[in-house]
Amino acid sequence: MFRNRISPHTGNRLREFSSGSQTVARELRNFVQNFLSKSWETIMSHMKSENMLKDFYIPDYLLLPGSEPPDARDIPECPVIVFINSKSGGQLGGELLVTYRSLLNKNQVFDLGENAPDKVLHQLYANLGKLKHSGDAFAAEIEKRLRIIVAGGDGTAGWLLGVVSDLKLPQPPPIATVPLGTGNNLPFSFGWGKKNPGTDQQSVETFLYQVRAAKEMKIDSWHIIMRMRAPKEGSCEPIAPLELPHSLHAFHRVSQTDALNVEGYHTYRGGFWNYFSMGMDAQVSYAFHSERKLHPEKYKNQLVNQSTYLKLGCTQGWFCASLLHPASKNIAQLTKIMVMKKQGQWEELSIPHSIRSIVCLNLPSFSGGLNPWGKPHGRKLRDRDLTPPYVDDGLLEIVGFRNGWHGLVLLAPKGHGTRLAQASGVRFEFQKGAANHTFMRIDGEPWKQPLPNDDDTVVVEITHFGQVSMLARPSCRSKSVYDPSSPASYGDEDEDSFEDDSTEDSEERRKFGAADTFKFPEGFDIAHLS
């Protein structure tokens, strides 16, 4: 009887409501199922990520003396210590620091603006050594598998390389470099790219997995000595204090007790990993760094930095060098260059008079990824008694450039500079009269170098020092003389080209840098470091 009282219109509305409720219920059910499915995928992905990150994790008891060891200790496959220049790459360095600390133990990630790497590594290895001595097999495995990640520019990377070289660690860890600078020649040489990386979790995890899969590769280090006679009057400092290149924080006068010191002379020393250059290219670089010191707020973007660098190349006359600069700027008239092709045998290098810039290259990356030496074919190698360029053969490739236009040939697939020589040592002898100064650059950091104003000479000598281990991706452009996949050598290898530390009884000489473990000058602002 109640059913008979419902009007047709009301019945239709009820049926529509019932049908709509079923649709809503179905959509709600689908939403819940989809949400639970995605949530489960997210949870599983997060758990998988956490398990993967355990491969890189170092527990506190190895990092902080006095900490209690955990009960369960699964040995990580690739434990890492991370050093980040938080001031590099604009805001990227700081963002990267936050991400790494969120993924790993925050005590294994260090801000270089707050923690000196020599102190960090000294404490870590002292703790590992103590634990190993007490029979801790876990600590022994960590030391064996440890790798270092350094995020910053070439100056920052060189700082860490110098520290590891100076500390003489029992098992020096290989180093991977995150490109945060302007040129990023070191990272690019070993396959880590030259563009600033992403700072999000996925980008950092991807980089960590690449570090785990990377291969070790030795690279040569080079020792540089500058010697000049003490002047009768005035100053003869090679670098004005305010113009000290940041990567040359170890380029200082040796002590009077050092065996390298010569009475009546001032002797300075330092080192480099990638290149030493002199001439017009260093002058352009000096102009760029001077501008960046004056207006650091304008140089926080990689593309802007590279664009400014190119503009300075034009305004400094590098592209019109033959018109805007006197002949005295030519390398041949500025200095005599001696090269050591065999141990102890120096010979003068013939330099074309048009050359205004010279580069002594160790790695196949210069000025943001260019390769000045190129890849000479087999016949040229044999005819000129050259070998393919390796990063661990104890030889520098010496290349010359006439001007900026000549430098642009490096952008071509087979472009290269004027190949002058390969040598295990190079010596520059500057005489009075050609000019009162020149410009020099080491691993991207330039300075203005005064030249003799009396009858004496200034001598800059570069010799092979030692080696350190880098981490390289399989596709990297750097080649090892010991790698079967590297191109075959056409020249005779000179096994005696490596300098023997045992001939030098000075402890300071056995350090790569001039100062204790690459310390910065007091009050140095790491924000200026590339």
Side-chain angles (χ1 to χ4, degrees):
M1 179 171 57
F2 177 74
R3 187 188 312 169
N4 293 336
R5 293 180 182 178
I6 299 175
S7 68
H9 175 73
T10 302
N12 291 337
R13 293 294 300 274
L14 286 171
R15 283 191 292 274
E16 289 175 5
F17 178 77
S18 176
S19 175
S21 298
Q22 292 175 4
T23 301
V24 170
R26 184 168 56 252
E27 290 179 354
L28 181 60
R29 183 173 61 253
N30 291 339
F31 172 79
V32 171
Q33 289 177 346
N34 189 40
F35 174 79
L36 291 175
S37 175
K38 287 186 176 180
S39 296
W40 180 249
E41 289 178 5
T42 301
I43 292 170
M44 292 300 294
S45 175
H46 181 70
M47 290 177 63
K48 182 180 179 181
S49 175
E50 279 196 335
N51 288 331
M52 296 281 282
L53 289 172
K54 287 181 180 178
D55 287 344
F56 310 99
Y57 191 88
I58 300 178
D60 272 343
Y61 95 101
L62 297 177
L63 302 165
L64 305 174
S67 299
E68 290 295 324
D71 295 331
R73 287 182 279 173
D74 295 328
I75 300 175
E77 182 181 338
C78 181
V80 295
I81 291 293
V82 184
F83 294 101
I84 298 175
N85 184 346
S86 60
K87 303 296 179 64
S88 284
Q91 301 298 318
L92 295 181
E95 294 171 5
L96 205 59
L97 187 69
V98 172
T99 305
Y100 269 98
R101 284 179 171 170
S102 70
L103 295 175
L104 303 173
N105 182 348
K106 65 179 182 180
N107 292 316
Q108 71 185 99
V109 182
F110 298 91
D111 183 348
L112 286 170
E114 300 174 356
N115 303 96
D118 55 322
K119 293 181 180 179
V120 170
L121 292 174
H122 179 77
Q123 177 178 303
L124 173 63
Y125 275 82
N127 204 30
L128 289 174
K130 182 179 179 181
L131 292 168
K132 280 171 52 185
H133 185 70
S134 65
D136 191 324
F138 183 82
E141 281 298 318
I142 292 291
E143 183 180 77
K144 186 186 302 182
R145 303 181 186 192
L146 186 66
R147 297 186 165 195
I148 288 178
I149 296 174
V150 52
D154 286 333
T156 305
W159 181 15
L160 260 295
L161 289 169
V163 165
V164 172
S165 178
D166 271 0
L167 285 179
K168 308 296 182 187
L169 301 171
Q171 296 186 50
I175 299 171
T177 52
V178 183
L180 282 184
T182 302
N184 297 317
N185 291 294
L186 267 166
F188 186 64
S189 296
F190 296 95
W192 302 108
K194 56 184 175 180
K195 293 183 179 179
N196 295 156
T199 59
D200 58 285
Q201 178 177 334
Q202 184 176 353
S203 298
V204 170
E205 287 184 2
T206 299
F207 189 87
L208 284 169
Y209 303 149
Q210 291 172 345
V211 168
R212 185 178 61 184
K215 62 180 179 180
E216 289 190 40
M217 181 182 291
K218 295 286 187 180
I219 66 167
D220 295 319
S221 62
W222 296 89
H223 188 255
I224 180 169
I225 294 175
M226 181 183 296
R227 183 172 284 127
M228 59 200 71
R229 185 178 292 278
K232 297 176 182 177
E233 57 184 23
S235 173
C236 193
E237 295 294 320
I239 309 170
L242 296 178
E243 297 175 351
L244 181 69
H246 305 122
S247 69
L248 294 187
H249 42 259
F251 198 64
H252 293 300
R253 191 186 305 179
V254 301
S255 65
Q256 293 184 353
T257 58
D258 194 295
L260 289 174
N261 187 57
V262 177
E263 187 176 356
Y265 286 81
H266 293 323
T267 302
Y268 300 81
R269 57 182 298 185
F272 66 94
W273 307 94
N274 190 4
Y275 66 87
F276 167 87
S277 70
M278 184 183 68
M280 281 298 304
D281 77 288
Q283 180 175 339
V284 174
S285 179
Y286 180 80
F288 172 80
H289 281 259
S290 298
E291 285 292 317
R292 188 167 69 170
K293 284 181 185 178
L294 291 174
H295 307 286
E297 70 282 356
K298 298 180 180 179
Y299 294 85
K300 292 186 176 182
N301 181 281
Q302 188 181 39
L303 292 177
V304 171
N305 291 356
Q306 292 169 345
S307 175
T308 304
Y309 202 100
L310 182 61
K311 291 177 182 177
L312 286 170
C314 298
T315 59
Q316 291 288 316
W318 181 216
F319 286 90
C320 304
S322 58
L323 299 176
L324 301 178
H325 292 268
S328 63
K329 295 291 184 181
N330 296 356
I331 298 297
Q333 296 189 27
L334 194 64
T335 179
K336 180 170 73 172
I337 301 179
M338 307 293 290
V339 294
M340 183 192 296
K341 294 186 176 180
K342 292 186 178 181
Q343 183 65 25
Q345 299 180 14
W346 292 94
E347 59 184 73
E348 185 170 356
L349 182 64
S350 177
I351 305 292
H353 286 279
S354 59
I355 297 297
R356 285 180 167 81
S357 182
I358 193 165
V359 182
C360 301
L361 190 69
N362 186 42
L363 304 179
S365 182
F366 173 78
S367 287
L370 303 176
N371 185 358
W373 187 257
K375 298 179 180 179
H377 57 69
R379 182 176 58 80
K380 284 187 176 180
L381 290 173
R382 287 190 295 268
D383 291 348
R384 298 188 58 188
D385 192 25
L386 300 174
T387 67
Y390 300 115
V391 299
D392 56 355
D393 59 357
L395 296 175
L396 287 169
E397 281 68 48
I398 306 173
V399 190
F401 292 96
R402 296 185 298 274
N403 49 43
W405 300 112
H406 188 193
L408 289 179
V409 304
L410 298 180
L411 300 176
K414 296 183 180 180
H416 60 84
T418 301
R419 300 185 186 107
L420 299 173
Q422 286 176 308
S424 59
V426 187
R427 186 166 69 227
F428 298 86
E429 299 177 359
F430 299 90
Q431 305 288 342
K432 173 191 174 182
N436 58 11
H437 69 269
T438 187
F439 294 89
M440 299 180 180
R441 182 162 64 142
I442 289 181
D443 287 355
E445 304 288 349
W447 77 96
K448 184 177 180 179
Q449 173 60 47
L451 295 180
N453 55 11
D454 51 27
D455 294 330
D456 203 43
T457 60
V458 170
V459 176
V460 175
E461 186 172 309
I462 299 169
T463 53
H464 185 270
F465 181 77
Q467 293 184 328
V468 72
S469 294
M470 297 292 293
L471 286 169
R473 298 192 65 196
S475 59
C476 78
R477 57 169 48 194
S478 293
K479 301 300 178 185
S480 168
V481 70
Y482 303 106
D483 186 352
S485 65
S486 296
S489 170
Y490 294 97
D492 295 330
E493 294 296 331
D494 181 8
E495 296 181 356
D496 295 328
S497 64
F498 294 95
E499 189 170 348
D500 184 2
D501 281 345
S502 63
T503 61
E504 179 58 69
D505 58 3
S506 167
E507 176 62 27
E508 284 298 305
R509 178 63 183 86
R510 290 192 288 272
K511 289 185 177 180
F512 180 69
D516 290 343
T517 58
F518 270 55
K519 291 180 181 176
F520 283 111
E522 188 173 349
F524 172 74
D525 183 2
I526 197 174
H528 294 144
L529 186 66
S530 63

